[in-house]
Amino acid sequence: MTPHERAVPHAAWVRSHYLTGFVYQCLAIAEADVRKLRHDPTELVTRAVQPTLWLLVFGQVMGRLREVPTGSLSYRDFMAPGILAQSVLFISIFYGISIIWERDMGILQKFIASPAPRVALVLGKALAAGVRGLTQAVIIYFLALVIGINVRMGIMSILGVLLSTILGAAIFSTFSMIVACLVKTRERMMGIGQVLTMPLFFASNAIYPLALMPAWLQAIAKINPLSYQVDLLRALMIEGSQSAFGIGVDLTVQLAVLAALIGLAARLYPRIVA
Amino acid sequence: MYKNQAAGEGAVRPALEAVHLTRRFGSFTAVDAISFSVLPGTIFGLLGPNGAGKSTTIKMLTTLLLPTAGTGRVNGFDIVRQSVDVRRVIGYVPQMVSADGNLTAFENLLIFAKLYGIPRAERRERIMEVLAFMGLSDMAGVLVRKFSGGMIRRLEIAQSILHLPPVLFLDEPTVGLDPVVRRSVWDHIFTLNTEFGVTILLTTHYMEEAEELCQQVAIMHQGRVVTLGAPADLKATAGVTTLDEAFAHFTGSSIQEGGTYRDAARARRTARRLG
Ligand SMILES: Nc1ncnc2c1ncn2[C@@H]1O[C@H](COP(=O)(O)OP(=O)(O)O)[C@@H](O)[C@H]1O
Ligand SMILES: [Mg+2]
């Protein structure tokens, strides 16, 4: 068999199993990242510091104040899902740096010169960010149990929280990849990430309810995908809490945003190697 | 592994063609309407100093970069209109280090085996085959960041032939390697070509590399192909004894002088990483 003939059955296989092939390709990209984390898990430890401080220090102190109107929930119960969303946001918003790094190395060039569709390359990376997000969920659950936050322990609730975490990480990491494809350098990417995180965080319902905000901030918070992420997490995670927007709305908004971002990122992706 | 593709060849169609291929960055023309064609089973060298436009040419032929004008074909597929088909039949080793240092050699190959849709049943065997072919069998489970420059290059070539592509692009395959290691990489490239008939386009600014490996070379200078042919014919035409002198004859400059500060800095950086 000639190499050319050899290549054809694969092409045929890829065509006839388009969807399976697509899923495999996404998973392959995500797998690379997970394997790297396994070889060097120090990152997971350093990533645990921030949420721990927020929950233990900020949460305890603010909880004493009893000034934030969190309805039937205690302040710590109210903020725990917000801190999960926040730490996932912090990881994801800088995720674009990793593709710039891979571009600088020449790794990304080979991915882009492979027959994998661009959407699969982007979705695979988003999924990898999701896996990093999951490690944050594990940390937050652990802390929540230690300090006695009222988390729902049902299997469906936990599964729901984990899937929502992946969704949130996918949204913000894809956004970050889009920025990376536009700005192309690590330094600029760092700058933009730093400029964006805090406004996204504060203009959301993560650590105080929307009702506390002035009208202009409420308006911004309502177009901030992070608010829908927090709302969904809070409803799924905390005993006795209810979604403010409705779980259907939370999901629809986030999936629509993700689809739009993935589409855009897939179009821009080849630019990063140009 | 590969079976020789030169066997049973019918009407010979070029494995690789560039037709007035052009790429501009803003007002700067990096590749200026170059044309060449490469027959199946040939090692073809793009020879020129840093900044001549070699990498840009490869990026267009591997569909990483759209041409500003002109086009190219790989195995009969148009690089612009049939880019996905092109990607299926090529292997590509970029100029930069492109193996992931934080994964093992096996993992680096595994990810690509999955990306190229190599069926699960064949994956492991194929990976071990290409590792053995490149002399890296014992290194399968080692993190690539512990590899030497020569081993990284061989791993990258192993990865590029995993899906048995009939056409291979190697961008500066031996830049920054010391002479002994360079020779070992040449041997592997040579075997791929002679035993399996793989068509190879490589770029280089080393004259010995071009003389040693390439059946055909195109001398590039400031984005243009200045001349094209077998190294022996080029030397005969120029009436000189080395390719270095032939280069000087055809371009009116020495290859060592080429490139800008940026190009030199980049080449050194690459060399250091590979070192
Ligand atoms: N993305 C880019 N933007 C602007 N100029 C570029 C870009 N890529 C390459 N160039 C320029 O094009 C010329 C050719 O580059 P290249 O193809 O990398 O040369 P070679 O590989 O022969 O050293 C160089 O002057 C380089 O600076
Ligand atoms: Mg180059």
Side-chain angles (χ1 to χ4, degrees):
Chain A
M1 220 183 315
T2 71
H4 181 68
E5 284 168 324
R6 205 71 182 86
V8 173
H10 288 156
W13 185 88
V14 170
R15 269 189 218 104
S16 62
H17 296 71
Y18 190 79
L19 197 63
T20 354
F22 179 82
V23 172
Y24 264 108
Q25 288 163 328
C26 293
L27 291 178
I29 297 290
E31 182 183 345
D33 226 56
V34 173
R35 282 176 181 272
K36 278 189 258 188
L37 265 185
R38 222 164 58 188
H39 288 302
D40 182 11
T42 45
E43 187 190 324
L44 300 183
V45 179
T46 56
R47 293 285 193 196
V49 174
Q50 272 216 9
T52 308
L53 288 176
W54 277 93
L55 265 187
L56 297 191
V57 181
F58 186 83
Q60 301 280 19
V61 174
M62 290 297 284
R64 294 254 161 81
L65 279 176
R66 299 183 194 287
E67 288 288 334
V68 185
T70 50
S72 58
L73 305 180
S74 76
Y75 183 70
R76 284 186 337 184
D77 288 1
F78 176 85
M79 82 172 296
I83 297 307
L84 173 54
Q86 179 220 43
S87 56
V88 169
L89 168 71
F90 282 10
I91 290 184
S92 307
I93 205 80
F94 292 104
Y95 198 74
I97 291 174
S98 77
I99 69 167
I100 291 176
W101 183 82
E102 287 187 357
R103 187 278 317 271
D104 288 346
M105 290 296 289
I107 298 169
L108 211 63
Q109 281 82 336
K110 290 199 302 198
F111 287 149
I112 294 180
S114 86
R118 275 78 166 113
V119 172
L121 299 179
V122 172
L123 210 54
K125 285 284 182 198
L127 210 58
V131 172
R132 278 160 202 264
L134 286 184
T135 64
Q136 298 296 298
V138 171
I139 292 162
I140 301 274
Y141 264 100
F142 174 76
L143 289 170
L145 288 180
V146 169
I147 62 175
I149 285 171
N150 276 320
V151 284
R152 293 189 210 265
M153 291 311 286
I155 190 77
M156 292 314 281
S157 305
I158 293 180
L159 212 60
V161 168
L162 297 184
L163 288 176
S164 312
T165 304
I166 295 179
L167 180 59
I171 289 173
F172 292 107
S173 62
T174 307
F175 177 70
S176 177
M177 286 190 274
I178 290 173
V179 176
C181 292
L182 295 174
V183 306
K184 293 183 177 184
T185 70
R186 257 179 277 198
E187 293 76 12
R188 276 182 267 175
M189 184 70 224
M190 279 298 274
I192 290 183
Q194 257 143 17
V195 165
L196 284 176
T197 38
M198 283 307 171
L200 275 171
F201 177 50
F202 287 123
S204 82
N205 51 359
I207 50 170
Y208 32 71
L210 290 187
L212 272 191
M213 300 178 183
W216 64 270
L217 193 55
Q218 268 189 37
I220 297 175
K222 279 190 180 150
I223 55 166
N224 181 356
L226 188 67
S227 296
Y228 297 87
Q229 167 75 3
V230 171
D231 192 55
L232 181 61
L233 284 175
R234 193 169 281 143
L236 292 170
M237 189 173 173
I238 300 300
E239 202 69 67
S241 70
Q242 249 152 25
S243 162
F245 304 127
I247 286 185
V249 174
D250 290 339
L251 272 176
T252 311
V253 168
Q254 290 185 76
L255 287 172
V257 168
L258 179 61
L261 290 174
I262 294 270
L264 187 57
R267 293 205 64 158
L268 293 176
Y269 213 56
R271 272 206 201 188
I272 197 158
V273 297
Chain B
M1 200 62 202
Y2 273 121
K3 296 284 175 3
N4 195 323
Q5 83 145 5
E9 204 60 58
V12 178
R13 161 188 85 177
L16 200 59
E17 269 179 295
V19 186
H20 301 299
L21 198 56
T22 302
R23 175 70 203 205
R24 280 187 278 276
F25 295 106
S27 61
F28 175 73
T29 306
V31 174
D32 196 356
I34 65 171
S35 298
F36 56 81
S37 108
V38 181
L39 290 177
T42 310
I43 303 184
F44 185 88
L46 281 179
L47 187 57
N50 284 322
K54 307 181 296 295
S55 293
T56 305
T57 304
I58 283 205
K59 284 184 194 161
M60 286 190 281
L61 292 173
T62 52
T63 78
L64 288 179
L65 204 59
L66 278 175
T68 314
T71 190
R73 272 182 287 279
V74 180
N75 251 30
F77 298 122
D78 187 281
I79 55 170
V80 178
R81 280 172 292 136
Q82 299 167 293
S83 55
V84 179
D85 295 298
V86 170
R87 283 181 222 133
R88 277 202 190 95
V89 297
I90 61 170
Y92 170 46
V93 180
Q95 182 173 344
M96 291 163 285
V97 171
S98 63
D100 201 317
N102 297 318
L103 293 173
T104 67
F106 186 88
E107 288 173 328
N108 263 284
L109 296 175
L110 183 67
I111 300 305
F112 278 90
K114 291 181 175 182
L115 269 190
Y116 279 90
I118 296 175
R120 181 198 295 267
E122 292 174 37
R123 252 180 242 150
R124 196 182 174 84
E125 189 190 336
R126 184 75 65 76
I127 291 172
M128 292 322 283
E129 232 167 20
V130 294
L131 279 175
F133 178 75
M134 296 307 293
L136 290 170
S137 295
D138 342 332
M139 303 303 287
V142 180
L143 280 182
V144 171
R145 80 169 98 86
K146 303 195 173 122
F147 277 30
S148 70
M151 277 154 51
I152 292 176
R153 260 303 184 238
R154 281 186 281 142
L155 175 64
E156 287 165 348
I157 296 176
Q159 183 260 302
S160 74
I161 59 174
L162 199 54
H163 54 295
L164 311 182
V167 179
L168 204 54
F169 293 90
L170 307 174
D171 199 351
E172 309 255 358
T174 66
V175 72
L177 300 181
D178 66 50
V180 179
V181 178
R182 179 172 298 162
R183 185 152 293 279
S184 122
V185 172
W186 287 352
D187 288 344
H188 285 99
I189 294 173
F190 195 67
T191 312
L192 269 177
N193 174 254
T194 49
E195 270 186 37
F196 306 118
V198 182
T199 308
I200 297 171
L201 182 142
L202 60 83
T203 71
T204 183
H205 59 268
Y206 298 122
M207 292 295 166
E208 330 89 87
E209 184 157 293
E211 288 212 76
E212 185 100 6
L213 275 178
C214 302
Q215 288 116 31
Q216 296 279 314
V217 298
I219 291 182
M220 277 190 87
H221 188 57
Q222 296 173 351
R224 293 208 176 83
V225 168
V226 188
T227 185
L228 194 149
D233 294 342
L234 296 187
K235 285 185 281 187
T237 310
V240 294
T241 51
T242 67
L243 209 48
D244 254 315
E245 291 166 311
F247 183 88
H249 172 89
F250 286 112
T251 62
S253 72
S254 155
I255 194 159
Q256 275 79 21
E257 290 165 5
T260 60
Y261 175 81
R262 211 181 117 199
D263 298 321
R266 200 165 44 185
R268 296 248 180 110
R269 216 162 43 230
T270 313
R272 199 169 55 228
R273 269 206 238 112
L274 279 165

